[in-house]
Each structure stands twice: as structure tokens, then as C-alpha cells.
Amino acid sequence: MDYKMMIVRSGLQIANRLKAFVGPDLLDERPFGITIQDCVQVVLEDDLTAGQIQEKIKFKDCMEIICSEAQKQAVQMVSENIARINTDPEKGSKEEEDAFDGVRINAESYIL
């Protein structure tokens, strides 16, 4: 069999979820880490350290990651194709909804 591209990921794979929650307990149970892919919203518990995020989590093709300001830089370093990193979910969501006047499309590709 021929492949153009093959990606091998180790550890737990969390994919195609509307909402995923990640805390230190989940990371402690996964020595090879976690890859979170194609999720609409990922919520990181406040007690996750930046070091734990950098060492054990990868984010790919997620819509929004909610984290603390202290976690933001670590999240940026381990993320690929993330629409938004949100450190203030209450403020950001309301402001965006008030300012937005259009149609939202969440898609990897869209053809008219």
C-alpha cells in the first residue's frame, strides 16, 4: 500500500467532540500524552501547569481552547490550526456575538 503522508501519534486520542475537558488526573493516567483533534471546544482545568501542557498535550484542528492566562503560551506552542485560544470565556463570547453580523461556518473545507 502506498501513502502520500502518514502521521503516527502516541498516547490517548480525543477527537471529534463538541466539548472536551482536560485536567491533571487525565494526564497522570497517560504516560505517552494526549492528542486532541477536531474538537469544537477544549477546556483546560486551571491546575494544569504550563510544563504539563508542553510535555503531554498536542492540539490539532480545534475551534476553541479555553485556558488560563498562565497556560496560554504553552497552549500556543503545542497547537496546530487552532481558531481561538480564549483566556476569558465570559467576556470574549458576549463581545463576539454582539459584534458579529453574518453566518458562521466551521469547516476544514467549504465549496460553494
Side-chain angles (χ1 to χ4, degrees), residues 36-49:
I36 302 171
Q37 182 171 347
D38 296 319
C39 293
V40 174
Q41 188 178 68
V42 180
V43 180
L44 302 183
E45 291 183 11
D46 288 337
D47 50 349
L48 270 176
T49 67

Side-chain angles (χ1 to χ4, degrees), residues 18-69:
L18 288 177
K19 199 166 200 175
F21 295 90
V22 181
D25 293 340
L26 182 62
L27 289 181
D28 291 343
E29 297 169 4
R30 309 292 177 202
F32 296 109
I34 299 172
T35 298
I36 302 171
Q37 182 171 347
D38 296 319
C39 293
V40 174
Q41 188 178 68
V42 180
V43 180
L44 302 183
E45 291 183 11
D46 288 337
D47 50 349
L48 270 176
T49 67
Q52 288 173 310
I53 293 167
Q54 286 181 292
E55 290 173 18
K56 290 200 168 185
I57 304 177
K58 300 284 183 222
F59 301 102
K60 184 171 181 350
D61 301 327
C62 294
M63 183 72 176
E64 178 181 44
I65 299 171
I66 296 176
C67 63
S68 69
E69 191 65 43

Side-chain angles (χ1 to χ4, degrees), residues 64 66 84 86-96:
E64 178 181 44
I66 296 176
R84 176 183 169 150
N86 189 351
T87 58
D88 190 359
E90 295 298 319
K91 179 182 173 194
S93 298
K94 180 66 175 148
E95 285 178 359
E96 280 184 3

